[in-house]
Amino acid sequence: MESRDIIQAPIITEKSMKLKEEFNKYTFKVAKSANKIQIKNAVEEIFKVKVLSVATINVLPKRKRVGQHVGYTAAYKKAICKLADGQKIEAFEI
């Protein structure tokens, strides 16, 4: 699996921005089949930073309803990567 296939998108929310500012942790949506080692190598290769640790979370689908129609949001895998001190990823800077 290639690095660009593993890292699908950055997750930019209020909670992820707070993690970035306080703990230098960055959040990504990743491929469901990727493990922590593959995620670490992909982030280091794409963004040219040093990753200290990776935490992964499988986000379950939520039931949503619009009128009488019921459906589910998509399930995905989320990775939180802690970077070395003094390093940052420019894609998250607004």
Side-chain angles (χ1 to χ4, degrees):
M1 192 179 287
E2 204 170 310
S3 296
R4 299 277 178 188
D5 296 332
I6 294 172
I7 306 296
Q8 295 174 348
I11 296 176
I12 300 176
T13 61
E14 288 182 24
K15 188 173 182 178
S16 68
M17 290 297 108
K18 189 173 182 179
L19 282 173
K20 178 183 78 83
E21 293 167 2
E22 293 181 10
F23 304 108
N24 202 25
K25 293 183 178 182
Y26 291 82
T27 310
F28 299 97
K29 183 177 179 182
V30 298
K32 283 189 89 58
S33 61
N35 61 31
K36 291 181 180 185
I37 296 167
Q38 291 172 329
I39 294 167
K40 177 184 176 189
N41 292 336
V43 171
E44 288 179 346
E45 181 182 327
I46 293 170
F47 299 107
K48 308 290 189 267
V49 293
K50 176 70 176 148
V51 177
L52 298 179
S53 66
V54 177
T56 59
I57 301 111
N58 285 311
V59 180
L60 299 176
K62 293 182 183 175
R63 186 172 186 236
K64 295 292 181 178
R65 181 183 161 136
V66 179
Q68 67 181 4
H69 303 288
V70 177
Y72 291 89
T73 61
Y76 61 95
K77 189 171 192 176
K78 180 166 61 170
I80 301 173
C81 301
K82 179 166 178 53
L83 301 186
D85 290 336
Q87 300 209 337
K88 62 181 180 178
I89 296 175
E90 295 300 325
F92 281 82
E93 303 302 320
I94 298 174

